């Protein structure tokens, strides 16, 4: 093969230049990959690259005839450069494959023009030619993927830093707007923040989709910036519901500068959702009283002790029964009858338990102010972290709860305010 190439080298070089010119001038419909290459880098760059590939392949054939491996430095540099330029890998490899076919055609034409009787001597070189081209393509692809991985890591780090800037705030005025622009976010719009429970373990949230969510994964959990556009906030619940995760969602904000506050509110929404509810997406505006308790842990502890201290001091079973009864009565909107249905007991039993709770706490369930205190104190109990050594967390009822009954009708006082009593109603 080395001897044949040496005999036709001058003609071969001329034919390579002509072939590279023709390939670069092909209409896009004949070869979309070359068209993509030319559209991104220009036809001159495509012509030059095809010429270099053909030349390197010929040199590789000569080295193979001498028992030497092909030089792959130029192919590696080419792969790294095209990755940085954003050329698709398929387009890059297509040019190498075309170069191999084109070189075999040029070789056969040049040998036939020089000495047709020498064509049979060319055939054993076909496997060597494709081996050289494959090794060049593999080297370019390996370098391309390595450079693309580095670029991807840098882009992820940059995006993470920009999201940290938006979520944490505290930078110079205007920096949040700059970070938002670099992330492709508008200066004004409709945004929300989602915070996932760190206890759910590692999870790779999907990118893109509707609504668009930019996720930031840190040691303290995963946070998502939701670009709602015209979608309602409930679309975030629809997005997360199939994933079986506990999440807190902030209210809607309109500018990137409001995102640090939105993230704090999303954290509160997550803390306000009792763990006993299991996977659940908690919207802050639906849990404002509980979020208020969660926002002040020290006061929440004091509230537990002052309002429900005598109940929490009871034996575990008594404490569990009274706290479960109170929570059920509150969720049933003050209806003893419906609470009894959910607890699988007689309504007189519920009334007796509630009267005992009134005696222990010194608060009346017919006094709205006292009901507010008891409700907030009960929320403070249910929000205690899982595994807490405190005995205050209530256990579940003895039997699984039935589906929640419809809300009972509210009796109206002459003043027009709703009033429900813990006493049994006929």
């Amino acid at each position: 093969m080395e001897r044949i190439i040496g005999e036709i080298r001058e003609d071969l070089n001329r034919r390579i230049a002509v072939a590279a010119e023709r390939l670069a001038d092909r209409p896009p419909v004949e070869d979309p990959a070359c068209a993509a290459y030319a559209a991104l880098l220009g036809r001159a760059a495509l012509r030059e690259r095809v010429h270099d590939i053909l030349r390197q392949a010929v040199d590789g054939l000569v080295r193979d005839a001498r028992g030497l491996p092909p030089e792959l430095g130029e192919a590696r540099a080419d792969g790294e450069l095209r990755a940085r330029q954003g050329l698709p890998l398929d387009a890059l490899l297509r040019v190498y494959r075309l170069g191999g076919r084109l070189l075999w055609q040029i070789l056969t034409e040049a040998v036939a023009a020089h000495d047709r009787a020498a064509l049979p001597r060319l055939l054993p070189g076909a496997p060597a030619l494709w081996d050289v081209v494959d090794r060049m393509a593999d080297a370019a692809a390996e370098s391309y993927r390595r450079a693309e991985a580095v670029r991807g890591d840098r882009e992820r780090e940059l995006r993470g830093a920009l999201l940290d800037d938006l979520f944490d705030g505290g930078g110079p005025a205007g920096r949040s707007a700059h970070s938002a622009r670099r992330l492709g976010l508008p200066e004004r719009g409709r945004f929300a923040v989602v915070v996932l429970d760190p206890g759910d373990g590692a999870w790779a949230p999907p990118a893109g989709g509707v609504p668009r969510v930019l996720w930031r994964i840190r040691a303290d959990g995963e946070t998502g910036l939701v670009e709602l556009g015209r979608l309602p906030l409930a679309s975030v619940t629809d997005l997360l519901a199939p994933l079986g995760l506990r999440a807190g969602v902030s209210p809607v904000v309109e500018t990137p500068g409001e995102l640090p506050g939105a993230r704090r509110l999303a954290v509160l929404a997550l803390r306000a959702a009792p763990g006993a509810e299991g996977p659940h997406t908690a919207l802050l505006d639906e849990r404002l009283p509980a979020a208020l308790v969660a926002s002040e842990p020290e006061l929440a502890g004091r509230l537990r002790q002052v309002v429900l201290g005598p109940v929490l001091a009871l034996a575990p079973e008594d404490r569990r029964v009274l706290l479960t009864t109170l929570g059920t009565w509150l969720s049933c909107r003050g209806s003893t009858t419906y609470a009894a249905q959910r607890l699988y007991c007689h309504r007189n039993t519920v009334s007796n338990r509630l009267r005992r709770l009134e005696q222990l706490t010194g608060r009346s369930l017919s006094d709205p102010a006292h009901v507010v205190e008891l409700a907030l104190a009960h929320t403070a109990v249910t929000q205690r972290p899982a595994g807490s050594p405190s005995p205050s967390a209530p256990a579940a009822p003895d039997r699984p709860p039935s589906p929640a009954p419809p809300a009972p009708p509210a009796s109206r006082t002459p003043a027009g305010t709703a009033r429900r009593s813990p006493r049994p109603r006929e």
Side-chain angles (χ1 to χ4, degrees):
M1 178 62 74
E2 181 181 5
R3 181 178 177 182
I4 295 176
I5 291 176
E7 293 172 355
I8 63 172
R9 191 62 184 253
E10 184 176 346
D11 184 35
L12 191 60
N13 290 339
R14 180 185 61 80
R15 290 175 183 272
I16 284 175
V18 172
E21 186 79 28
R22 289 177 178 173
L23 183 61
D25 291 337
R26 278 187 180 183
V29 293
E30 290 187 15
D31 201 307
C34 286
Y37 198 116
L40 181 65
L41 304 175
R43 292 197 173 277
L46 174 60
R47 179 173 58 253
E48 180 181 353
R49 188 62 209 141
V50 172
H51 185 277
D52 288 345
I53 289 173
L54 297 177
R55 175 184 54 78
Q56 293 167 38
V58 171
D59 291 343
L61 282 174
V62 173
R63 291 179 61 84
D64 180 76
R66 297 174 181 174
L68 300 174
E71 290 284 354
L72 301 176
E74 289 190 51
R76 294 191 182 98
D78 181 45
E80 181 178 353
L81 176 61
R82 304 316 168 193
R84 291 202 306 268
Q85 292 172 332
L87 180 73
L89 179 58
D90 287 346
L92 174 66
L93 296 179
R94 172 70 173 165
V95 171
Y96 278 89
R97 290 193 294 268
L98 282 173
R101 292 210 304 265
L102 190 58
L103 181 57
W104 181 251
Q105 179 183 345
I106 293 171
L107 279 171
T108 55
E109 291 176 352
V111 170
H114 175 71
D115 181 6
R116 185 171 293 275
L119 280 175
R121 294 162 49 202
L122 183 64
L123 293 178
L129 170 63
W130 286 111
D131 180 67
V132 169
V133 172
D134 285 346
R135 293 176 72 175
M136 291 170 56
D138 289 346
E142 179 184 358
S143 181
Y144 181 103
R145 294 188 183 98
R146 185 164 53 246
E148 193 174 48
V150 171
R151 185 181 66 172
D153 289 343
R154 289 177 62 86
E155 289 179 351
R156 282 189 292 273
E157 289 178 5
L158 174 60
R159 189 176 73 165
L162 294 173
L163 286 171
D164 285 344
D165 187 48
L166 291 178
F167 289 142
D168 297 339
R175 196 169 80 179
S176 60
H178 172 72
S179 298
R181 282 195 300 272
R182 297 194 66 176
L183 290 167
L185 298 170
E187 291 186 9
R188 295 194 67 86
R190 296 178 67 252
F191 310 104
V193 175
V194 177
V195 174
L196 302 184
D197 186 354
D200 285 329
W203 174 64
V210 178
R212 180 189 178 201
V213 185
L214 299 178
W215 290 99
R216 178 64 170 130
I217 303 176
R218 300 195 295 195
D220 59 349
E222 301 175 20
T223 305
L225 193 168
V226 186
E227 184 183 0
L228 288 165
R230 296 185 178 182
L231 295 172
L233 187 60
S235 62
V236 180
T237 302
D238 298 336
L239 175 70
L240 297 176
L243 304 177
L245 302 170
R246 294 184 71 245
V249 183
S250 76
V252 176
V253 296
E254 296 183 352
T255 64
E258 299 173 89
L259 289 170
R263 184 178 186 275
R264 288 192 293 271
L265 294 179
V267 171
L268 282 179
L270 178 61
R271 290 171 55 191
E277 290 187 2
H280 184 75
T281 300
L283 302 180
L284 178 78
D285 287 350
E286 296 177 354
R287 297 179 178 272
L288 289 174
L292 186 64
V293 174
S295 67
E296 293 289 345
E298 185 176 355
L299 288 179
R302 189 63 184 163
L303 183 66
R304 281 191 299 267
Q305 188 59 38
V306 170
V307 178
L308 290 175
V311 177
L312 300 178
L314 296 174
E317 180 60 19
D318 286 346
R319 179 178 64 243
R320 180 191 70 80
V321 168
L322 289 185
L323 290 175
T324 300
T325 302
L326 173 60
T328 305
W329 181 81
L330 290 169
S331 66
C332 290
R333 304 183 184 181
S335 169
T336 307
T337 300
Y338 285 112
Q341 292 177 8
R342 293 191 63 180
L343 293 170
Y344 298 98
C345 63
H346 195 277
R347 59 189 177 186
N348 288 347
T349 302
V350 174
S351 293
N352 291 336
R353 293 175 183 174
L354 294 176
R355 276 195 293 270
R356 186 182 178 204
L357 186 138
E358 288 178 316
Q359 292 168 358
L360 287 169
T361 62
R363 286 161 175 81
S364 171
L365 291 173
S366 61
D367 184 332
H370 290 176
V371 172
V372 170
E373 287 187 350
L374 287 165
L376 292 178
H378 185 271
T379 297
V381 170
T382 61
Q383 284 181 1
R384 289 189 69 86
S388 168
S390 169
S392 60
D398 294 335
R399 286 174 285 183
S402 60
S411 60
R412 296 286 172 180
T413 66
T417 57
R419 179 180 181 275
R420 297 185 179 91
S421 168
R423 308 296 188 265
R425 290 197 298 260
E426 296 298 332

